[in-house]
Amino acid sequence: MSDPRWHVSSAVVTVADGAWQEVRRLVEALDGVEVHGGDDTRLIVTIEGTSTGQLGDKLTEINLMDGVLAANMVFEHAEEPEETTCHST
């Protein structure tokens, strides 16, 4: 059985006035999600997982958080797992 593909996406999370700190704390607590920056109204995040569906589920979870106005995927990339070849002599 082969390893699953690796997926990563970037997203912009738009946050309500006064909710930035709490939303950042909640987003940073999610597995596979990392905050890379932002400003008073937005967070820039990456989401990693093994399928497009997994990324979408995480983005939906962020969208449903109190204080989040919108969470939009900007980019997605997927890679096959590295194949290793064993040679016997």
Side-chain angles (χ1 to χ4, degrees):
M1 184 169 168
S2 65
D3 291 331
R5 293 178 81 184
W6 176 78
H7 294 252
V8 62
S9 69
S10 60
V12 175
V13 180
T14 306
V15 180
D17 285 341
W20 189 88
Q21 192 170 17
E22 178 64 8
V23 169
R24 181 176 181 134
R25 185 188 68 75
L26 292 170
V27 169
E28 287 178 332
L30 297 173
D31 287 337
V33 180
E34 187 173 339
V35 176
H36 295 277
D39 58 25
D40 291 342
T41 61
R42 293 174 295 204
L43 296 172
I44 308 302
V45 302
T46 54
I47 305 169
E48 295 183 17
T50 57
S51 71
T52 298
Q54 192 178 53
L55 300 180
D57 289 347
K58 204 61 78 168
L59 192 64
T60 298
E61 187 175 351
I62 294 168
N63 252 312
L64 295 174
M65 290 178 176
D66 287 339
V68 172
L69 301 176
N72 297 297
M73 189 176 295
V74 177
F75 177 80
E76 181 182 350
H77 175 76
E79 290 185 8
E80 295 294 333
E82 290 185 357
E83 293 185 30
T84 56
T85 307
C86 295
H87 297 282
S88 58
T89 55

